Amino acid sequence: WGHNYLDDSGGPCYCGKTGCVERVLSGPALENYYHSISGIRKGLPEIYKLAKEGDGDAAKTIQRLTAFFGKAMSVVINILDPDVIVVGGGVGQIQEIYSDGMKEIGKYIFNNGIVKTPIVPPTWGDSAGVFGAAQLVAPWEGRK
């Protein structure tokens, strides 16, 4: 999903394509966007904190996130109609994706703007990927 086209503003991706979801919505992509409009380098947690404190460039960065999050997630929902979507990584810690981002999804989904798919943070936080990988091995334990 991260290497599907989202918007040209993401620029070239290391995969060889342009405008990939990852180049628009990932933490590093949002940090680069903030730098491009503010001239200041900050990590995503700092940008998020600044947005909450009223920094205009930081708020614009978070608005970019929620707007493109809605477009990107609507494609997943329209095609797969999943029971739930779990958002990991640093972006998953930004509460606005679960409110403003959901409103943005409603603009693009087939379902007349009614978002029925729950979008949630991982139960185990940033360690969710490690636990998931461990579960992939668990069924093989005890086999000869």
Side-chain angles (χ1 to χ4, degrees):
W1 174 72
H3 293 283
N4 284 287
Y5 176 79
L6 181 57
D7 190 74
D8 283 337
S9 67
C13 183
Y14 61 86
C15 74
K17 298 177 188 168
T18 297
C20 292
V21 169
E22 184 169 319
R23 295 290 297 154
V24 178
L25 292 180
S26 69
L30 293 163
E31 292 164 2
N32 288 337
Y33 176 77
Y34 177 77
H35 177 255
S36 76
I37 62 174
S38 71
I40 302 167
R41 287 235 175 253
K42 298 272 185 193
L44 187 56
E46 291 176 277
I47 295 167
Y48 184 52
K49 183 177 183 238
L50 288 170
K52 291 290 200 183
E53 294 171 356
D55 178 285
D57 291 333
K60 189 174 179 183
T61 301
I62 300 305
Q63 289 166 352
R64 175 183 174 82
L65 164 62
T66 59
F68 280 114
F69 178 83
K71 285 184 179 183
M73 282 295 165
S74 70
V75 173
V76 173
I77 292 169
N78 283 339
I79 293 173
L80 299 177
D81 190 21
D83 292 328
V84 66
I85 296 173
V86 180
V87 181
V91 171
Q93 304 301 313
I94 298 187
Q95 294 305 308
E96 282 73 5
I97 65 171
Y98 306 105
S99 55
D100 299 342
M102 294 295 280
K103 291 175 191 167
E104 291 293 324
I105 292 169
K107 293 178 182 179
Y108 302 102
I109 61 171
F110 177 73
N111 204 4
N112 292 325
I114 301 168
V115 183
K116 294 181 181 178
T117 305
I119 298 182
V120 299
T123 302
W124 294 313
D126 290 341
S127 298
V130 174
F131 287 115
Q135 288 298 315
L136 290 174
V137 176
W140 295 97
E141 290 179 8
R143 289 190 181 187
K144 306 255 181 205

